[in-house]
Amino acid sequence: MKAMVLNRITDLKENKTPLQLMELPDPEPSDHEVLLKISTCGVCHTELDEIEGRTPPAYFPMVLGHQVVGKVVQLGPGVTQLKVGDRVGIPWIYSSCGHCEFCQRGEENLCPEFKATGRDVFGGYAELMVVRENFAHPIPEVFSDEEAAPLLCAGAIGYRSLRLTNLENGQRLGLTGFGASGHLVLKMVRHNYPDSEVYVFARSKSEQKFAVELGAVWAGDTEDEAPKKLHAIIDTTPVWKPIVEALKNLLPGGRLVINAIRKEDYDKDYLLKLDYPEHLWMEKEIKSVANVALRDVREFLQLAAEIPIKPEYQTYPLEEANKALIELKERKIRGAKVLTIK
């Protein structure tokens, strides 16, 4: 199979082509696994974290990509839930043990044996992949392959982040950072919390404009103070500055939810500006998001189909994966980025 492959950790500021186009052996499905012919795969900031070593792959070479859409072309022994021709999506959660206390209560994202697609096993920057059938999610017919791919991570993790805010209808929500996940969260809020106002903090004027176009009542810079204090804020950025700046915009008892698998180090000293009375006192909370659970993916895909949520996206052929990654690194973003595999 054809795949874009990562062979080593590298600095994207110095290396603009971290992935190599290679021919790899076609995978074979084992017990309770299916083989997928991949059609699209979303490009996520987590791939940058993998390439630069903040959450490094389990081994090399590695095929990245965890927003995978494809059709089942072969069944392994014991498969009962899927059939050849089914269209499914594979998110960041590739597998978990199924029997620990976290898995038993539907929090597979916290399982000590959690495996991530495209980090711990080969992912979707390729023509083919295998996956256990119970970790493959049927894609609603309302979505094209290109529309479905960003929903599997940006949408599902955005859904989990929104759940963790404990937002109630009529309460005010802030979004700091406005890329693939942020713009989908805004669409969810407008549907699920019609009386809630959304305030967006983004350093890019184009992102601010985009947020207002989608229904934000206000959009400003990361350092700006919102016109009103907010009940909750979701941070989708890879850096530290937005955390400190977001905390000053929370109401007493407000919650900041950090939707990032890793933070970059270059502005970590901004945390020294944290002032306890201004930023943390009055029972403000900080909550991290760890991966996604099966429930998040299933519930979000159903919600997205009902609304429906159609993500904004740009497409790139598989061979231009490096271009898409560098544009993401350089914050050249409007919605999501999706690879198409022919």
Side-chain angles (χ1 to χ4, degrees), residues 53-74:
R54 288 178 293 277
T55 180
Y59 52 84
F60 295 101
M62 178 55 66
V63 178
L64 308 182
H66 59 271
Q67 302 176 79
V68 190
V69 177
K71 287 189 175 179
V72 176
V73 293
Q74 184 180 341

Side-chain angles (χ1 to χ4, degrees), residues 106-281:
E107 295 179 344
E108 303 92 352
N109 58 308
L110 304 179
C111 174
E113 296 181 30
F114 178 96
K115 288 187 178 179
T117 311
R119 185 194 67 185
D120 302 318
V121 293
F122 279 10
Y125 286 20
E127 294 179 308
L128 300 166
M129 74 174 289
V130 293
V131 66
R132 282 164 51 183
E133 63 172 335
N134 54 323
F135 285 85
H137 302 268
I139 301 295
E141 292 184 6
V142 67
F143 301 117
S144 68
D145 293 354
E146 291 80 5
E147 290 167 337
L151 302 178
L152 292 163
C153 182
I157 198 72
Y159 176 77
R160 183 171 187 85
S161 302
L162 185 56
R163 281 207 298 117
L164 292 178
T165 63
N166 294 330
L167 193 74
E168 297 178 5
N169 188 38
Q171 292 183 331
R172 294 182 294 277
L173 177 71
L175 300 174
T176 183
F178 201 69
S181 189
H183 92 282
L184 294 175
V185 170
L186 177 50
K187 293 185 178 188
M188 280 183 259
V189 172
R190 293 190 66 194
H191 181 269
N192 283 7
Y193 307 93
D195 301 318
S196 289
E197 297 176 338
V198 178
Y199 297 73
V200 171
F201 305 87
R203 61 182 181 178
S204 162
K205 293 292 185 184
S206 62
E207 288 179 13
Q208 293 172 20
K209 183 174 180 289
F210 184 34
V212 172
E213 288 172 1
L214 291 182
V217 298
W218 175 90
D221 191 79
T222 305
E223 294 184 42
D224 287 347
E225 204 161 319
K228 299 177 182 178
K229 296 293 186 184
L230 310 174
H231 296 85
I233 299 175
I234 298 173
D235 166 37
T236 60
T237 71
V239 291
W240 296 96
K241 178 180 177 179
I243 292 178
V244 177
E245 296 298 329
L247 287 168
K248 75 182 183 186
N249 281 291
L250 283 177
L251 282 164
R255 174 177 282 193
L256 171 63
V257 175
I258 302 174
N259 172 3
I261 191 166
R262 292 293 185 271
K263 289 284 190 178
E264 298 180 18
D265 285 339
Y266 73 87
D267 75 332
K268 200 169 185 178
D269 59 352
Y270 204 89
L271 289 175
L272 296 174
K273 296 189 177 186
L274 193 69
D275 178 67
Y276 182 76
E278 179 185 8
H279 298 110
L280 282 173
W281 196 48

Side-chain angles (χ1 to χ4, degrees), residues 89 91-96 98 103 106-110 114 132-137 156 159-160 163 291-301:
W92 177 246
I93 180 170
Y94 182 84
S95 66
S96 65
C103 288
E107 295 179 344
E108 303 92 352
N109 58 308
L110 304 179
F114 178 96
R132 282 164 51 183
E133 63 172 335
N134 54 323
F135 285 85
H137 302 268
Y159 176 77
R160 183 171 187 85
R163 281 207 298 117
N291 310 310
V292 286
L294 293 175
R295 168 191 170 186
D296 300 312
V297 184
R298 286 192 291 259
E299 290 183 359
F300 172 70
L301 287 175

